[in-house]
Amino acid sequence: MSMAANLLDKLAQKNPNEPEFLQAAREVMESLEPLMERHPEYVKAGIFERILEPERQVMFRVPWVDDRGTVQVNRGYRIEFSSAIGPYKGGLRFHPSVNLSIIKFLGFEQILKNSLTGLPIGGGKGGSDFDPKGKSDAEVMKFCQSFITELYRHIGADTDVPAGDIGVGGREIGYLFGQYKRIVNRYEGVLTGKGLAWGGSLARTEATGYGLVYFVEEMLKTKGESFAGKKVAISGSGNVAIYAAEKVRALGGTVITMSDSNGYFVDEAGVDLDCVKQLKEVERKRCSDYINNHPEAKYFEGCQNIWMVPCDIALPCATQNEINEQDAKNLVANGCIAVGEGANMPCTPEAVKVFHDNNVLFAPGKASNAGGVAVSALEMSQNSMRYSWTFEEVDAKLKNIMINIHTKAYQAAKEYGQEGNLVVGANIAGFVKVAEAMLAQGIV
Ligand code: NDP
């Protein structure tokens, strides 16, 4: 049995009910096999076993009272996975599907993603099975206050700095920050994604979506291609999807689909982003409402057929495992030339194999969606300096970071004999920095 297989076997025995975590660990460990052979010192120091075990896992009760006076109880999580290269850093997800497996998979991916940014941030992730959909602002505030009343003791500007993710945007970060500050009586950069008037960074809102498109642009260049004149299918209509769509449009592409968990719409004339922003960011409405303003567009209930819409480039920006093997085959059959993951792990391993086998350019999320956490780290720098950069300054740094991530991943893949395989390249490039830090810091 290979060393990776042996490690994964033990991991599955230890964590039997964590399919998403095991899926993420498998993808990484299998691609690190050549590294295991080249670096026996990593094996000897138990780097692989240690990186798979979170440094700390916190699970807690989150009680709150809804608008009808009924007591509700949710479960909160914070997985502090690795602090080898900096304070734990990673988002909070509020969604009914949240469980330990999902938070661990996200936290594990975050270690390598944060390393790839070149910035000094470790890996962590958290969240709750709370569903902000359909809740009043008062209910969301009460939940956030209860959540942080436990979490505050585990986090801090130099310890662990959470941010947003699915279901956690500016509103939630505001409620979490307000209560944190009240409890600790300190104004510090303990959360990122803050409002501009109270410590946030310009371009953080846009960062993940813009960063994704900067990364895919670099990837397209390796084949002499660009976004200009391309039809682009995007899933999701949240933070990542909206700003990916905005940048695609700026680079001359046409976004033809967007979705939410109820269904998707197709607008061949090009998605009206002002309308989507108004529906999603202001009115908190559904994608089905898009056709009220755009009767020429078509709405489809359910998301299962979104990847049958013919496109040149696909950017899945909703959630994990949203493109399976059959979806990938449909995309290939319809002439798709590139896929860039905006979400975390939206493509199953079988789907990724279809892309690789068919020479479809593929950008793995841990590299291509790292722009969000990169600008979060820039927000931390600005907080420490008590200073703010302009939008243009942050955007230029973001673009530079995304180009560097692409270069690192591309070159690592080439060095290990797998040119063009950015999955292998991103895993190796991200891992080596963390492994070197762990080696230097002894058995901890
Ligand atoms: P948002 O909550 O802003 O938006 C999520 C979007 O995806 C919504 O349109 C939502 O629809 C849809 N969605 C969520 N769950 C499902 C599901 N199970 N099935 C179908 N659609 C679903 O989140 P973000 O845009 O911030 O995050 C999207 C993805 O990007 C996630 O995988 C996240 O981990 C990843 N990511 C986000 C970063 C960030 O900076 N925000 C950074 C890096 C990665 P609905 O409204 O119906 O739920």
Side-chain angles (χ1 to χ4, degrees), residues 133 166-167 233-245 255 257-265 271-282 284-290 299 303 306-307 315-319 322 343:
K133 256 193 256 112
I166 292 178
I234 294 184
S235 64
S237 50
N239 175 258
V240 180
I242 287 176
Y243 293 95
V255 177
T257 65
M258 291 184 88
S259 67
D260 57 30
S261 50
N262 295 107
Y264 66 98
F265 63 82
V271 168
D272 173 356
L273 261 186
D274 291 337
C275 173
V276 176
K277 283 187 186 176
Q278 177 67 21
L279 286 174
K280 290 292 178 179
E281 295 184 336
V282 181
R284 296 185 189 275
K285 285 193 175 163
R286 312 301 301 157
C287 279
S288 53
D289 293 305
Y290 182 86
Y299 177 74
C303 293
I306 185 170
W307 306 114
L315 303 178
C317 296
T319 194
E322 50 167 314

Side-chain angles (χ1 to χ4, degrees), residues 175-291:
Y175 295 147
L176 294 164
F177 183 75
Q179 181 75 350
Y180 177 88
K181 179 166 62 69
R182 186 179 177 204
I183 296 171
V184 303
N185 193 28
R186 266 197 316 276
Y187 205 109
E188 60 178 28
V190 66
L191 290 153
T192 55
K194 298 187 290 298
L196 294 178
W198 42 281
S201 172
L202 285 159
R204 172 61 187 92
T205 306
E206 292 83 356
T208 310
Y210 278 23
L212 167 67
V213 176
Y214 292 146
F215 187 96
V216 174
E217 193 187 16
E218 285 308 295
M219 187 172 77
L220 288 168
K221 276 188 200 162
T222 64
K223 290 272 176 352
E225 289 284 0
S226 74
F227 274 100
K230 299 291 190 305
K231 275 190 184 185
V232 182
I234 294 184
S235 64
S237 50
N239 175 258
V240 180
I242 287 176
Y243 293 95
E246 188 166 279
K247 189 50 81 178
V248 166
R249 195 174 58 180
L251 295 181
T254 304
V255 177
I256 52 167
T257 65
M258 291 184 88
S259 67
D260 57 30
S261 50
N262 295 107
Y264 66 98
F265 63 82
V266 180
D267 189 342
E268 291 286 346
V271 168
D272 173 356
L273 261 186
D274 291 337
C275 173
V276 176
K277 283 187 186 176
Q278 177 67 21
L279 286 174
K280 290 292 178 179
E281 295 184 336
V282 181
E283 298 172 21
R284 296 185 189 275
K285 285 193 175 163
R286 312 301 301 157
C287 279
S288 53
D289 293 305
Y290 182 86
I291 49 172

Side-chain angles (χ1 to χ4, degrees), residues 111-145:
I111 306 171
L112 303 185
K113 179 187 307 192
N114 292 2
S115 166
L116 280 170
T117 65
L119 300 165
I121 39 179
K125 196 83 188 186
S128 174
D129 56 0
F130 172 75
D131 187 0
K133 256 193 256 112
K135 304 287 190 302
S136 69
D137 280 353
E139 288 176 322
V140 171
M141 182 175 75
K142 280 186 272 186
F143 172 81
C144 288
Q145 290 180 340

